[in-house]
Amino acid sequence: MVEIKTDRSLREMREAGRVVAEALAAVRAKAAPGVALKELDRAARAVLAAAEAGSPFLDYHPEWAPVPFPAVVCASVNDAIVHGIPDDRRLADGDLVSIDCGASLGGWVGDAAVSFTVGRARPEDTRLIDTAYEALEAGIGAAVVGNRIGDIAHAIGRVCRGAGYGIADGFGGHGVGRTMHEDPGVPNEGRPGRGMPLRHGMVIAIEPMLIGGGGDEHYTARDGWTVRTMDGSRAAHTEHTVAITDDGPRILTAL
């Protein structure tokens, strides 16, 4: 079931989204060679605490996971696509980092992700990250009243495939509202003109996940959470929570 939000609800969701944006900005500012992933998680926790916001990530325990998620951010490095657990690993110069974060505030949830390089960036990583943001922008551009979910999926997939990158099969965006994962699912590849029609008041997370090696294969690491590329190539992950409105798409997780 898809909940159609009122205009007041969208304004309230924007406040949750603002906290997510501030947390991601704090994490990115903290990230540097020698910094442990756990320190990035602490930076995000401080922002959530200051805003009196909760975390939809912390202790999240879907039935496929062996243990609850132990952090407020997912920190995925290099060949990790998504769901990386922040641990004692210290960042190295040139690491490609994807941070996914959520916040719960006033009964509503915001969810977003960024990818960036720590220190000196490799040209191939810069291109991968830039393409991930281009795919996100394309998906948001297709998120208009009168279009369908398939139009968003097609816009994302066209950018990813056109650049020669793989797409993590089985992973994609989703509805956002009272909880982090709601209907409808938003794939990162699909046929235009198919799927659920987009209506004013729908809120979705659009989140491209690109695999640099060009293949789609991935596996789950021994921790039961971290999803890695099968070929060992690097990955990038971007995401915004977006409201569908009669005036066009409204990004709820922008600074």
Side-chain angles (χ1 to χ4, degrees), residues 149-235:
I149 292 294
D151 295 303
I152 299 174
H154 177 71
I156 295 169
R158 183 173 53 188
V159 171
C160 298
R161 297 299 188 189
Y165 295 127
I167 297 172
D169 184 43
F171 291 88
H174 48 85
V176 183
R178 298 288 182 181
T179 62
M180 181 169 55
H181 292 137
E182 298 184 354
D183 291 332
V186 186
N188 286 327
E189 191 169 32
R191 297 176 63 182
R194 298 296 182 92
M196 180 177 292
L198 303 179
R199 296 174 50 193
H200 177 90
M202 290 176 63
V203 179
I204 55 176
I206 299 174
E207 51 178 322
M209 301 176 197
L210 282 62
I211 298 176
D216 299 349
E217 295 78 19
H218 52 79
Y219 69 97
T220 302
R222 290 183 180 180
D223 63 20
W225 278 98
T226 307
V227 179
R228 297 188 178 277
T229 63
M230 187 66 73
D231 61 6
S233 64
R234 294 189 170 193

Side-chain angles (χ1 to χ4, degrees), residues 72-145:
V72 303
V73 300
C74 298
S76 306
V77 181
N78 296 334
D79 67 322
I81 305 169
V82 69
H83 298 163
I85 297 175
D87 55 18
D88 293 322
R89 172 178 178 166
R90 295 191 177 275
L91 293 170
D93 186 56
D95 277 345
L96 195 167
V97 184
S98 296
I99 302 293
D100 195 355
C101 183
S104 303
L105 186 68
W108 298 103
V109 170
D111 186 12
V114 296
S115 283
F116 55 89
T117 301
V118 173
R120 293 168 294 182
R122 306 191 310 183
E124 58 268 35
D125 289 346
T126 298
R127 179 175 180 268
L128 176 62
I129 293 169
D130 287 348
T131 304
Y133 281 106
E134 183 183 347
L136 176 61
E137 290 174 2
I140 293 171
V144 297
V145 173

Side-chain angles (χ1 to χ4, degrees), residues 10-105:
L10 295 182
R11 291 192 295 270
E12 292 172 348
M13 289 193 73
R14 169 60 178 147
E15 296 310 307
R18 197 186 312 275
V19 175
V20 174
E22 291 171 353
L24 288 172
V27 169
R28 189 162 187 170
K30 181 71 175 178
V35 173
L37 297 181
K38 280 185 175 180
E39 295 178 64
L40 303 184
D41 185 64
R42 285 197 289 270
R45 287 177 188 249
V47 172
L48 296 183
E52 299 184 341
S55 169
F57 287 23
L58 184 63
D59 294 327
Y60 178 59
H61 195 181
E63 53 185 41
W64 50 261
V67 295
F69 195 76
V72 303
V73 300
C74 298
S76 306
V77 181
N78 296 334
D79 67 322
I81 305 169
V82 69
H83 298 163
I85 297 175
D87 55 18
D88 293 322
R89 172 178 178 166
R90 295 191 177 275
L91 293 170
D93 186 56
D95 277 345
L96 195 167
V97 184
S98 296
I99 302 293
D100 195 355
C101 183
S104 303
L105 186 68

